[in-house]
């Protein structure tokens, strides 16, 4: 199937997720994008190639890239050196928008990537908190969830790794000064916290996704506006960049199968 009148194959669910992730960096300016996951990495590169040209990207190891290579390829030009120790310093003091994953996330934006079950004797051991507390208290943070389910979107996380709005508020001004959980993007839709009590709101659902699918896969009551738009379609230029320049191997389809 192709987009009406264009001859271009229609956008897949993975393409919509890439565009939704890219939009998280719209207007970000000269900040370091730190995407974690295949789809966010493609989204950050798409943003730099289109509406956020000042965005800084790394190769995931120690280099700031001056160009935008295909996923899995090294940069053709390098504009800076960012080894792990300097990246840690930037996490605490710099301008950065990280898009992390979440094994669990709740209505206030608290994230868990550490363990499942009682933290004293968990049933599943995960990554550990890693840099999540510092990320969330010092940098704009978004989340990417490739498989939206009630096991991930939970009433209460088993352990707080990334700090949500309720816990930041309880900790006081030192925690809220730079704290901002911007968006949660899943394979079903886009969510934010633009509500009076800073609880999760459904901002858009991806084309083909019903409201019932979203609410049925969420373990708490979302804030649902009277009208929920669909996530925007990628443009022809964006589709070409995704498919021919950034991800010619189609790795995004492995993370979000059509």
């Amino acid at each position: 199937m192709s987009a009406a009148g264009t001859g271009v194959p229609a956008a897949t669910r993975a393409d919509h997720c890439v565009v939704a992730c890219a939009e998280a960096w719209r207007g970000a300016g000269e900040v370091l994008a730190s995407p974690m996951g295949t789809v966010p990495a493609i989204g950050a590169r798409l943003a730099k190639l289109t509406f956020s040209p000042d965005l800084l990207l790394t190769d995931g190891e120690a280099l700031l890239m001056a160009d935008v290579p295909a996923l899995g390829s090294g940069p053709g030009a390098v504009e800076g050196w960012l080894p792990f120790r300097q990246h840690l310093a930037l996490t605490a003091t710099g301008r950065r928008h990280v898009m992390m994953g979440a094994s669990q996330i709740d209505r206030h934006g608290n994230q868990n990537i550490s363990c499942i079950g009682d933290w004293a004797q968990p049933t599943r051991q995960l990554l550990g908190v890693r840099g999540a507390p510092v990320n969330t208290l010092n940098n704009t943070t978004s989340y990417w969830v490739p498989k939206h389910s009630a096991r991930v979107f939970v009433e209460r996380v088993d352990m707080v790794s990334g700090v949500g709005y309720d816990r930041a508020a309880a900790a006081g001004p030192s925690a809220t000064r730079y704290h901002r959980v911007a968006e949660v993007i899943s394979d079903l839709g886009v969510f934010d916290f633009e509500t009076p009590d800073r609880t999760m709101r459904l901002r858009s659902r991806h084309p083909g996704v019903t409201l019932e699918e979203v609410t049925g896969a969420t373990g708490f009551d979302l804030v649902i506006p009277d009208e929920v738009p669909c996530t925007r379609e990628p443009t022809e230029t964006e589709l070409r960049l995704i498919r021919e320049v950034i991800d010619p191997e189609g790795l995004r389809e492995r993370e979000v199968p059509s």
Side-chain angles (χ1 to χ4, degrees):
M1 183 179 294
S2 62
T6 67
V8 177
T12 65
R13 180 71 58 81
D15 294 328
H16 289 119
C17 291
V18 166
V19 168
C21 288
E23 285 288 347
W25 284 287
R26 181 181 286 274
E30 192 174 348
V31 303
L32 178 66
S34 296
M36 301 178 188
T38 299
V39 166
I42 299 168
R45 295 179 189 211
L46 179 64
K48 183 172 177 65
L49 287 173
T50 53
F51 45 72
S52 293
D54 294 332
L55 206 61
L56 300 177
L57 301 176
T58 77
D59 66 346
E61 294 185 10
L63 302 176
L64 285 171
M65 303 189 298
D67 59 357
V68 183
L71 207 66
S73 300
V78 174
E79 65 178 354
W81 173 245
L82 192 66
F84 189 62
R85 62 183 180 277
Q86 291 183 10
H87 204 139
L88 288 176
L90 181 64
T91 298
T93 63
R95 287 172 50 79
R96 187 167 173 262
H97 184 161
V98 58
M99 187 173 289
M100 293 191 289
S103 301
Q104 291 179 328
I105 191 165
D106 66 22
R107 70 174 76 240
H108 298 285
N110 295 294
Q111 168 242 35
N112 175 24
I113 52 172
S114 186
C115 64
I116 301 299
D118 185 345
W119 70 270
Q121 191 172 2
T123 58
R124 294 288 187 276
Q125 182 66 54
L126 306 175
L127 290 172
V129 297
R130 299 177 72 85
V134 178
N135 281 336
T136 49
L137 293 184
N138 293 293
N139 303 272
T140 299
T141 301
S142 294
Y143 293 106
W144 161 242
V145 179
K147 294 182 180 180
H148 190 129
S149 76
R151 295 178 64 182
V152 178
F153 288 75
V154 296
E155 183 67 37
R156 181 183 177 88
V157 297
D158 292 337
M159 180 174 177
V160 175
S161 303
V163 180
Y165 279 101
D166 58 339
R167 288 180 176 268
S174 63
T176 59
R177 184 178 181 186
Y178 300 113
H179 177 267
R180 178 172 176 249
V181 182
E183 299 178 5
V184 179
I185 300 159
S186 80
D187 61 331
L188 297 184
V190 180
F191 308 81
D192 63 24
F193 300 87
E194 300 301 318
T195 56
D197 59 353
R198 291 295 196 179
T199 55
M200 195 182 295
R201 176 185 73 161
L202 175 61
R203 194 168 80 196
S204 72
R205 52 188 175 82
H206 300 324
V209 175
T210 66
L211 184 59
E212 290 72 24
E213 283 182 272
V214 176
T215 56
T218 305
F220 53 83
D221 291 334
L222 287 162
V223 177
I224 308 291
D226 292 336
E227 294 186 12
V228 179
C230 282
T231 305
R232 77 167 178 86
E233 295 281 348
T235 66
E236 286 187 51
T237 297
E238 288 171 333
L239 280 178
R240 182 187 65 80
L241 288 171
I242 293 169
R243 296 170 177 179
E244 299 177 16
V245 177
I246 306 171
D247 184 29
E249 299 298 322
L251 299 178
R252 65 196 180 281
E253 298 290 341
R254 301 181 189 177
E255 194 164 59
V256 183
S258 299

